[in-house]
Amino acid sequence: MPTNFIKAEKLKSILASAKPTAEKIEQVINKALNKERLSLTETALLLKAEKKDWIDKIFAAAKKLKQIIYGDRVVLFAPLYIGNKCINNCQYCGFKASNTEVQRCTLSDKEIETQVKALENQGQKRLILVYGEHPDYDAEFIAHTVKLVYQTKEELGEIRRVNINAAPLKVADYRQLKEVGIGTYQIFQETYHPPTYQRLHPSGPKADFQWRITGLDRAMQAGLDDVGIGALFGLYNWKYEVLGLLAHTEHLEENYGVGPHTISFPRLNPATNVELDEEYLVNDEEFKRLVAILRLAVPYTGLILTAREKAELRREVMELGVSQIDAGTRIEMKGYTKTETKQNLNKEQFKLGDTRSLEAVIHELINDGYLPSFCTACYRLGRTGEHFMEFATPGFIKRYCTPNALLTFKEYLEDYASQRNQEIGQKLLKQKLTAIKKPALQREIKKKLERIENGARDLCF
Amino acid sequence: MEPEIFAFKNKLSELIPAEEMKVWLCKKEGKRRNFIFKLGQEQFSTPQTVAENQEYCLLAQQIDEQLKKDLTAIFNHYLERRCE
């Protein structure tokens, strides 16, 4: 298995030699609309498309592809910071070891339970647990916290899927996490450009580019076939980073038969004691382009848009291909039990752009015609990894994802929705149910919705 | 694949018509069900749990009650000792 699959010179040369024409762009877009993954060379053509009408075509195609594959669903989740101790010195991060102003904290079991209950009381069903890189946060500790989260239930509330964002581990460590039933294991490479990586990660285990880039290979070797990749945009040339993400995807597909479950593309934001180098900062227009191009390049990979971005921009970018967003996000330690929404950067990793509540985000989604989803069915029914690839068809979305989104949204409306969301949410449910063309499926969904009204929970297709 | 799972799959393959139904075996890991193998084709219908023990669960689509009983018996025969 090759470990040096990120070849900077090759990626640069692909970018340099890409010479887009209207005809070539049309061809690449048509391939993407046929739901085929794009190659590095094809993606480079889209990245080099600078003319306004070409960019408009890319945006239009991304919106169309999103509709074909994902429909109106948006999957919601929340991050929960478990510990911010860290022995790395990432130059852009508020939690870097050298930052003595940040207040360090690791949640106790009791504190984790309290935070999880607060999240359950909002209606959250999917969490991503976030850990700094520190000897205290070893596989045993992570496994313990995952079990604790799954066990914590508040009335009808429960967390049904726990994803992890943590440091790269050894194969045996991943096995330990596999046993406790994690969802996705997420490792962001931050930048796929080795010299930039070296400069920005001067010390700590994260200084080793190779150890990090092969982190998900070890996860796959341990049997964890549900992994997420990401780049922190703003550290290096954004077009190069898109190719880096794609090269990583190709590597996982070629070697393990399954690509990443999700791709994240956070943008660099201010943090305490962090001076940002502005050379590579990505503006809003470029950000929209990179999301649209990623959508076209990897049609069946989930794209995650985080609350680092402002609400208005999230709304705009969502239609370009995003399938998951976090909502009601608090990144301050113990933040879900605090009433103050103003951020204190001495306690947080970076500045958030969207600090709205889950209720407010759902309100906007409903008004925009999106179907909020808390679905966790696939990984609890063995529709994962290699098996999941069988379902990567629009038919699957219609038969499973939309119905499951309807069921989980109904649960939300029954148990947690505000009065205003109740009213518009029930109308949305009716509209979406009517839009289901197959009468038998519509009847089946209707029956399950009635069962939910009568108290049943956690139904799925 | 471990020998008993391999034998279990072989036995199931005698009973599952490829185009009319689908069964798949998963390993239980917390709330996750990790896919091990499948027989038959996706039916695009609601999956049901046919049989399970502490370690494994067998899911299926479009199977009748009699076949469900047969599959449960085979599951118990081949995978029973795994949960001891």
Side-chain angles (χ1 to χ4, degrees):
Chain A
M1 189 263 305
T3 55
N4 58 341
F5 51 89
I6 297 299
K7 295 188 166 63
E9 290 315 311
K10 181 186 161 192
L11 297 183
K12 279 185 189 171
S13 142
I14 289 172
L15 259 184
S17 57
K19 305 278 184 257
T21 62
E23 195 187 349
K24 283 183 192 170
I25 287 174
E26 193 79 19
Q27 279 171 1
V28 173
I29 284 178
N30 284 338
K31 182 178 175 185
L33 288 174
N34 267 332
K35 299 169 283 282
E36 289 178 55
R37 183 171 63 67
L38 301 181
S39 67
L40 290 167
T41 312
E42 289 159 342
T43 306
L45 284 170
L46 300 184
L47 290 165
K48 292 285 283 289
E50 300 291 347
K51 288 186 185 169
K52 189 183 175 303
D53 62 324
W54 292 353
I55 294 171
D56 288 345
K57 276 188 180 167
I58 290 170
F59 285 166
K63 286 178 191 175
K64 191 173 173 186
L65 189 61
K66 196 226 165 181
Q67 266 306 315
I68 295 171
I69 297 187
Y70 297 90
D72 297 326
R73 286 172 316 111
V74 177
V75 173
L76 298 168
F77 70 95
L80 173 59
Y81 278 66
I82 299 292
N84 67 1
K85 290 188 194 175
C86 196
I87 53 171
N88 290 317
N89 253 316
C90 313
Q91 296 299 290
Y92 48 82
C93 179
F95 289 165
K96 62 185 170 187
S98 60
N99 187 1
T100 50
E101 284 177 35
V102 77
Q103 296 168 24
R104 305 285 170 182
C105 163
T106 303
L107 299 188
S108 67
D109 285 4
K110 186 72 201 153
E111 286 166 340
I112 290 174
E113 280 172 11
T114 307
Q115 294 301 304
V116 171
K117 283 181 181 175
L119 284 155
E120 289 174 348
N121 282 332
Q122 291 173 15
Q124 300 280 8
K125 296 281 185 276
R126 305 166 59 107
L127 297 186
I128 180 151
L129 306 187
V130 184
Y131 308 78
E133 184 157 6
H134 191 275
D136 285 357
Y137 311 147
D138 59 8
E140 199 180 332
F141 174 76
I142 296 175
H144 168 74
T145 56
V146 170
K147 281 196 268 186
L148 193 59
V149 171
Y150 279 138
Q151 282 161 14
T152 302
K153 294 179 202 283
E154 177 80 335
E155 297 183 13
L156 290 168
E158 61 172 344
I159 299 303
R160 297 175 183 160
R161 180 177 175 120
V162 175
N163 298 329
I164 301 291
N165 180 306
L169 302 173
K170 294 177 187 159
V171 175
D173 293 335
Y174 286 117
R175 286 205 182 103
Q176 214 172 324
L177 296 187
K178 185 169 181 277
E179 281 169 17
V180 295
I182 64 165
T184 306
Y185 197 95
Q186 207 179 56
I187 301 174
F188 297 168
Q189 188 62 24
E190 319 296 11
T191 173
Y192 285 92
H193 186 243
T196 303
Y197 186 95
Q198 261 2 109
R199 183 169 55 80
L200 295 173
H201 305 97
S203 63
K206 199 169 172 178
D208 186 343
F209 181 91
Q210 280 304 116
W211 174 251
R212 193 164 183 90
I213 196 79
T214 52
L216 294 174
D217 289 78
R218 292 188 296 282
M220 291 281 192
Q221 286 153 21
L224 269 178
D225 53 11
D226 192 337
V227 299
I229 63 173
L232 179 54
F233 281 86
L235 300 179
Y236 187 62
N237 179 297
W238 67 270
K239 296 177 184 176
Y240 174 93
E241 301 291 16
V242 170
L243 287 190
L245 287 165
L246 195 57
H248 201 167
T249 301
E250 281 187 350
H251 166 78
L252 294 172
E253 280 180 4
E254 280 164 13
N255 289 280
Y256 307 101
V258 53
H261 187 74
T262 55
I263 295 181
S264 302
F265 34 85
R267 270 194 303 182
L268 201 53
N269 278 10
T272 302
N273 277 347
V274 168
E275 281 177 29
L276 299 181
D277 178 352
E278 296 189 0
E279 186 181 359
Y280 295 113
L281 290 185
V282 176
N283 66 35
D284 289 354
E285 199 54 28
E286 291 165 336
F287 187 66
K288 284 190 264 178
R289 282 172 68 191
L290 80 85
V291 175
I293 292 169
L294 276 173
R295 178 68 297 141
L296 294 172
V298 286
Y300 286 109
T301 306
L303 294 186
I304 299 179
L305 176 66
T306 72
R308 282 181 184 244
E309 302 302 334
K310 290 201 171 85
E312 311 84 70
L313 186 71
R314 290 181 103 191
R315 191 178 187 187
E316 237 181 297
V317 171
M318 200 106 74
E319 61 177 354
L320 293 173
V322 170
S323 54
Q324 292 187 29
I325 61 168
D326 54 338
T329 300
R330 298 287 174 269
I331 57 172
E332 180 181 345
M333 305 301 300
K334 304 178 221 170
Y336 291 105
T337 44
K338 292 189 176 152
T339 46
E340 175 63 69
T341 56
K342 199 175 171 216
Q343 282 196 270
N344 176 355
L345 283 184
N346 282 341
K347 292 181 180 173
E348 309 185 35
Q349 192 180 17
F350 52 82
K351 193 168 180 342
L352 282 175
D354 185 356
T355 54
R356 291 175 300 167
S357 66
L358 176 63
E359 193 274 344
V361 173
I362 286 185
H363 189 72
E364 183 181 271
L365 289 175
I366 300 170
N367 279 330
D368 289 346
Y370 287 110
L371 176 59
S373 174
F374 295 93
C375 177
T376 57
C378 277
Y379 102 116
R380 295 191 296 143
L381 290 168
R383 296 194 290 237
T384 59
E386 177 199 348
H387 190 209
F388 182 77
M389 301 320 276
E390 181 181 325
F391 302 108
T393 66
F396 172 77
I397 306 288
K398 288 196 179 99
R399 187 58 186 81
Y400 293 115
C401 300
T402 304
N404 284 333
L406 288 167
L407 299 182
T408 54
F409 183 51
K410 176 70 174 171
E411 278 191 16
Y412 174 80
L413 292 177
E414 291 292 314
D415 299 338
Y416 304 103
S418 60
Q419 188 58 39
R420 65 174 189 160
N421 281 351
Q422 275 280 357
E423 285 159 18
I424 56 174
Q426 297 290 1
K427 276 185 202 155
L428 181 84
L429 268 185
K430 267 189 196 153
Q431 279 170 20
K432 301 289 180 194
L433 188 61
T434 313
I436 287 173
K437 299 282 178 244
K438 290 185 176 168
L441 178 60
Q442 201 186 68
R443 278 195 301 275
E444 226 182 316
I445 298 170
K446 223 173 167 177
K447 268 190 204 165
K448 283 191 159 74
L449 290 174
E450 281 166 10
R451 285 180 61 198
I452 291 172
E453 263 178 18
N454 293 324
R457 290 293 175 270
D458 204 12
L459 304 179
C460 62
F461 284 91
Chain B
M1 202 182 295
E2 293 175 53
E4 53 274 69
I5 293 177
F6 185 76
F8 176 57
K9 184 181 178 185
N10 273 346
K11 187 69 189 168
L12 286 193
S13 66
E14 294 167 12
L15 299 173
I16 307 299
E19 288 174 12
E20 293 161 25
M21 58 187 71
K22 177 174 159 186
V23 297
W24 65 103
L25 182 71
C26 295
K27 191 162 194 301
K28 291 160 87 168
E29 278 158 347
K31 291 202 179 209
R32 175 183 271 271
R33 301 291 175 264
N34 252 331
F35 174 74
I36 299 176
F37 72 76
K38 67 150 188 150
L39 290 165
Q41 285 179 7
E42 175 59 29
Q43 300 295 309
F44 291 102
S45 63
T46 308
Q48 55 171 305
T49 302
V50 173
E52 62 183 316
N53 59 27
Q54 284 173 359
E55 215 176 335
Y56 296 101
C57 71
L58 185 68
L59 293 132
Q61 288 169 318
Q62 306 285 60
I63 62 160
D64 59 32
E65 281 307 308
Q66 183 52 51
L67 186 56
K68 192 174 172 180
K69 280 181 192 161
D70 295 344
L71 294 182
T72 306
I74 299 168
F75 177 91
N76 289 337
H77 175 75
Y78 283 93
L79 301 177
E80 190 181 33
R81 72 166 186 80
R82 310 257 335 160
C83 66
E84 283 167 4

Short mmCIF file of all heavy atoms in Angstrom, two decimals, chain A residues 241-274:
data_model
loop_
_atom_site.label_atom_id
_atom_site.label_comp_id
_atom_site.label_asym_id
_atom_site.label_seq_id
_atom_site.Cartn_x
_atom_site.Cartn_y
_atom_site.Cartn_z
N GLU A 241 -5.51 22.44 -2.71
CA GLU A 241 -6.10 21.66 -1.60
C GLU A 241 -7.28 20.80 -2.08
O GLU A 241 -7.46 19.67 -1.62
CB GLU A 241 -6.58 22.57 -0.46
CG GLU A 241 -5.50 23.45 0.17
CD GLU A 241 -4.45 22.70 0.98
OE1 GLU A 241 -4.32 21.47 0.86
OE2 GLU A 241 -3.74 23.39 1.74
N VAL A 242 -8.06 21.33 -3.04
CA VAL A 242 -9.16 20.52 -3.59
C VAL A 242 -8.59 19.27 -4.26
O VAL A 242 -9.09 18.16 -4.06
CB VAL A 242 -10.02 21.35 -4.58
CG1 VAL A 242 -11.00 20.45 -5.32
CG2 VAL A 242 -10.79 22.44 -3.84
N LEU A 243 -7.50 19.46 -5.01
CA LEU A 243 -6.88 18.29 -5.65
C LEU A 243 -6.31 17.34 -4.59
O LEU A 243 -6.35 16.12 -4.76
CB LEU A 243 -5.77 18.73 -6.61
CG LEU A 243 -6.22 19.37 -7.93
CD1 LEU A 243 -5.02 19.52 -8.88
CD2 LEU A 243 -7.32 18.58 -8.63
N GLY A 244 -5.78 17.91 -3.51
CA GLY A 244 -5.27 17.07 -2.42
C GLY A 244 -6.38 16.19 -1.83
O GLY A 244 -6.19 14.99 -1.61
N LEU A 245 -7.54 16.79 -1.61
CA LEU A 245 -8.67 16.03 -1.07
C LEU A 245 -9.07 14.92 -2.05
O LEU A 245 -9.38 13.79 -1.64
CB LEU A 245 -9.87 16.95 -0.83
CG LEU A 245 -9.75 17.91 0.36
CD1 LEU A 245 -10.80 19.01 0.30
CD2 LEU A 245 -9.88 17.15 1.69
N LEU A 246 -9.03 15.26 -3.32
CA LEU A 246 -9.42 14.27 -4.33
C LEU A 246 -8.37 13.15 -4.43
O LEU A 246 -8.72 11.96 -4.57
CB LEU A 246 -9.60 14.97 -5.68
CG LEU A 246 -10.32 14.16 -6.75
CD1 LEU A 246 -11.70 13.72 -6.28
CD2 LEU A 246 -10.46 14.99 -8.03
N ALA A 247 -7.09 13.52 -4.33
CA ALA A 247 -6.03 12.50 -4.37
C ALA A 247 -6.17 11.56 -3.17
O ALA A 247 -5.96 10.34 -3.29
CB ALA A 247 -4.66 13.18 -4.37
N HIS A 248 -6.52 12.11 -2.03
CA HIS A 248 -6.73 11.29 -0.83
C HIS A 248 -7.91 10.33 -1.05
O HIS A 248 -7.85 9.15 -0.70
CB HIS A 248 -6.98 12.21 0.37
CG HIS A 248 -6.72 11.56 1.69
ND1 HIS A 248 -6.63 12.28 2.86
CD2 HIS A 248 -6.53 10.27 2.05
CE1 HIS A 248 -6.39 11.44 3.86
NE2 HIS A 248 -6.34 10.22 3.40
N THR A 249 -8.96 10.87 -1.65
CA THR A 249 -10.14 10.05 -1.96
C THR A 249 -9.77 8.90 -2.90
O THR A 249 -10.12 7.74 -2.65
CB THR A 249 -11.23 10.93 -2.63
OG1 THR A 249 -11.58 11.98 -1.73
CG2 THR A 249 -12.46 10.13 -3.01
N GLU A 250 -9.03 9.24 -3.95
CA GLU A 250 -8.61 8.20 -4.92
C GLU A 250 -7.79 7.12 -4.22
O GLU A 250 -7.97 5.93 -4.47
CB GLU A 250 -7.74 8.83 -6.02
CG GLU A 250 -8.54 9.55 -7.08
CD GLU A 250 -7.66 10.02 -8.24
OE1 GLU A 250 -6.41 9.95 -8.13
OE2 GLU A 250 -8.23 10.48 -9.24
N HIS A 251 -6.90 7.55 -3.36
CA HIS A 251 -6.04 6.59 -2.65
C HIS A 251 -6.88 5.62 -1.81
O HIS A 251 -6.65 4.41 -1.85
CB HIS A 251 -5.07 7.35 -1.75
CG HIS A 251 -4.38 6.48 -0.74
ND1 HIS A 251 -3.33 5.67 -1.07
CD2 HIS A 251 -4.63 6.28 0.59
CE1 HIS A 251 -2.96 5.00 0.01
NE2 HIS A 251 -3.72 5.35 1.03
N LEU A 252 -7.85 6.15 -1.08
CA LEU A 252 -8.68 5.28 -0.23
C LEU A 252 -9.52 4.33 -1.10
O LEU A 252 -9.64 3.14 -0.80
CB LEU A 252 -9.57 6.12 0.69
CG LEU A 252 -8.83 6.95 1.75
CD1 LEU A 252 -9.79 7.90 2.48
CD2 LEU A 252 -8.13 6.06 2.78
N GLU A 253 -10.07 4.86 -2.18
CA GLU A 253 -10.89 4.02 -3.06
C GLU A 253 -10.06 2.90 -3.68
O GLU A 253 -10.48 1.75 -3.73
CB GLU A 253 -11.51 4.86 -4.17
CG GLU A 253 -12.73 5.62 -3.74
CD GLU A 253 -13.34 6.45 -4.86
OE1 GLU A 253 -12.86 6.39 -6.01
OE2 GLU A 253 -14.30 7.18 -4.56
N GLU A 254 -8.87 3.27 -4.16
CA GLU A 254 -8.03 2.27 -4.84
C GLU A 254 -7.55 1.18 -3.88
O GLU A 254 -7.45 0.02 -4.25
CB GLU A 254 -6.80 2.95 -5.46
CG GLU A 254 -7.14 3.63 -6.78
CD GLU A 254 -6.05 4.61 -7.21
OE1 GLU A 254 -4.94 4.59 -6.62
OE2 GLU A 254 -6.35 5.43 -8.10
N ASN A 255 -7.26 1.55 -2.66
CA ASN A 255 -6.66 0.59 -1.73
C ASN A 255 -7.65 -0.14 -0.84
O ASN A 255 -7.35 -1.22 -0.34
CB ASN A 255 -5.60 1.28 -0.88
CG ASN A 255 -4.38 1.63 -1.70
OD1 ASN A 255 -3.54 0.78 -1.96
ND2 ASN A 255 -4.33 2.87 -2.18
N TYR A 256 -8.82 0.46 -0.61
CA TYR A 256 -9.76 -0.18 0.33
C TYR A 256 -11.15 -0.36 -0.27
O TYR A 256 -12.07 -0.80 0.42
CB TYR A 256 -9.83 0.64 1.63
CG TYR A 256 -8.46 0.87 2.20
CD1 TYR A 256 -7.81 2.09 2.02
CD2 TYR A 256 -7.77 -0.16 2.85
CE1 TYR A 256 -6.52 2.28 2.49
CE2 TYR A 256 -6.49 0.03 3.32
CZ TYR A 256 -5.87 1.25 3.14
OH TYR A 256 -4.59 1.43 3.59
N GLY A 257 -11.31 0.04 -1.53
CA GLY A 257 -12.59 -0.17 -2.21
C GLY A 257 -13.67 0.79 -1.77
O GLY A 257 -14.81 0.69 -2.24
N VAL A 258 -13.36 1.69 -0.89
CA VAL A 258 -14.35 2.65 -0.44
C VAL A 258 -13.67 3.99 -0.13
O VAL A 258 -12.60 4.03 0.48
CB VAL A 258 -15.16 2.10 0.76
CG1 VAL A 258 -14.26 1.64 1.88
CG2 VAL A 258 -16.15 3.10 1.28
N GLY A 259 -14.27 5.04 -0.62
CA GLY A 259 -13.70 6.38 -0.40
C GLY A 259 -14.16 6.94 0.93
O GLY A 259 -14.81 6.26 1.72
N PRO A 260 -13.84 8.21 1.19
CA PRO A 260 -14.28 8.81 2.46
C PRO A 260 -15.80 8.97 2.48
O PRO A 260 -16.41 9.20 1.44
CB PRO A 260 -13.60 10.18 2.46
CG PRO A 260 -13.31 10.48 1.03
CD PRO A 260 -13.09 9.15 0.35
N HIS A 261 -16.36 8.82 3.65
CA HIS A 261 -17.81 8.99 3.82
C HIS A 261 -18.16 10.47 3.70
O HIS A 261 -19.20 10.83 3.16
CB HIS A 261 -18.18 8.45 5.20
CG HIS A 261 -19.64 8.38 5.48
ND1 HIS A 261 -20.45 7.44 4.92
CD2 HIS A 261 -20.44 9.16 6.22
CE1 HIS A 261 -21.69 7.63 5.33
NE2 HIS A 261 -21.70 8.68 6.11
N THR A 262 -17.28 11.31 4.23
CA THR A 262 -17.52 12.75 4.19
C THR A 262 -16.24 13.53 3.89
O THR A 262 -15.14 13.06 4.17
CB THR A 262 -18.06 13.28 5.55
OG1 THR A 262 -17.15 12.90 6.58
CG2 THR A 262 -19.45 12.76 5.85
N ILE A 263 -16.44 14.72 3.35
CA ILE A 263 -15.34 15.67 3.18
C ILE A 263 -15.75 16.97 3.86
O ILE A 263 -16.88 17.44 3.67
CB ILE A 263 -15.03 15.92 1.69
CG1 ILE A 263 -14.50 14.64 1.02
CG2 ILE A 263 -14.03 17.06 1.52
CD1 ILE A 263 -14.14 14.79 -0.46
N SER A 264 -14.85 17.52 4.65
CA SER A 264 -15.10 18.82 5.31
C SER A 264 -14.16 19.85 4.73
O SER A 264 -13.04 19.53 4.32
CB SER A 264 -14.88 18.71 6.82
OG SER A 264 -15.72 17.71 7.34
N PHE A 265 -14.60 21.09 4.72
CA PHE A 265 -13.78 22.15 4.10
C PHE A 265 -13.87 23.44 4.91
O PHE A 265 -14.28 24.49 4.38
CB PHE A 265 -14.24 22.38 2.65
CG PHE A 265 -15.72 22.18 2.48
CD1 PHE A 265 -16.60 23.21 2.75
CD2 PHE A 265 -16.23 20.95 2.10
CE1 PHE A 265 -17.96 23.03 2.63
CE2 PHE A 265 -17.60 20.75 1.98
CZ PHE A 265 -18.46 21.80 2.24
N PRO A 266 -13.51 23.36 6.20
CA PRO A 266 -13.56 24.58 7.02
C PRO A 266 -12.60 25.64 6.48
O PRO A 266 -11.59 25.30 5.86
CB PRO A 266 -13.09 24.09 8.40
CG PRO A 266 -12.30 22.86 8.12
CD PRO A 266 -12.93 22.22 6.93
N ARG A 267 -12.95 26.90 6.72
CA ARG A 267 -12.05 28.00 6.34
C ARG A 267 -11.39 28.54 7.60
O ARG A 267 -11.99 28.54 8.68
CB ARG A 267 -12.83 29.14 5.68
CG ARG A 267 -12.94 29.01 4.22
CD ARG A 267 -13.41 30.29 3.58
NE ARG A 267 -14.70 30.79 4.06
CZ ARG A 267 -15.29 31.88 3.58
NH1 ARG A 267 -14.70 32.57 2.62
NH2 ARG A 267 -16.45 32.29 4.05
N LEU A 268 -10.19 29.03 7.43
CA LEU A 268 -9.43 29.57 8.55
C LEU A 268 -10.17 30.75 9.19
O LEU A 268 -10.59 31.66 8.49
CB LEU A 268 -8.08 30.04 8.00
CG LEU A 268 -6.92 30.21 8.95
CD1 LEU A 268 -6.70 28.95 9.76
CD2 LEU A 268 -5.67 30.54 8.15
N ASN A 269 -10.31 30.71 10.51
CA ASN A 269 -10.96 31.80 11.25
C ASN A 269 -10.05 32.31 12.35
O ASN A 269 -9.16 31.59 12.81
CB ASN A 269 -12.25 31.27 11.92
CG ASN A 269 -13.41 31.24 10.97
OD1 ASN A 269 -13.24 31.44 9.77
ND2 ASN A 269 -14.58 30.97 11.49
N PRO A 270 -10.29 33.53 12.82
CA PRO A 270 -9.46 34.06 13.92
C PRO A 270 -9.56 33.21 15.19
O PRO A 270 -10.59 32.59 15.44
CB PRO A 270 -10.06 35.44 14.18
CG PRO A 270 -10.81 35.79 12.94
CD PRO A 270 -11.29 34.50 12.37
N ALA A 271 -8.48 33.18 15.97
CA ALA A 271 -8.46 32.50 17.27
C ALA A 271 -7.49 33.25 18.17
O ALA A 271 -6.69 34.06 17.70
CB ALA A 271 -8.02 31.04 17.09
N THR A 272 -7.56 32.96 19.48
CA THR A 272 -6.68 33.65 20.43
C THR A 272 -5.21 33.36 20.14
O THR A 272 -4.84 32.20 19.90
CB THR A 272 -7.00 33.15 21.86
OG1 THR A 272 -8.34 33.42 22.10
CG2 THR A 272 -6.16 33.88 22.89
N ASN A 273 -4.39 34.40 20.19
CA ASN A 273 -2.94 34.27 19.99
C ASN A 273 -2.58 33.64 18.65
O ASN A 273 -1.62 32.88 18.54
CB ASN A 273 -2.31 33.45 21.12
CG ASN A 273 -2.04 34.32 22.32
OD1 ASN A 273 -2.11 35.54 22.22
ND2 ASN A 273 -1.76 33.71 23.45
N VAL A 274 -3.39 33.91 17.65
CA VAL A 274 -3.10 33.38 16.32
C VAL A 274 -3.05 34.55 15.34
O VAL A 274 -3.97 35.35 15.27
CB VAL A 274 -4.21 32.38 15.88
CG1 VAL A 274 -4.07 32.05 14.41
CG2 VAL A 274 -4.13 31.12 16.72
#
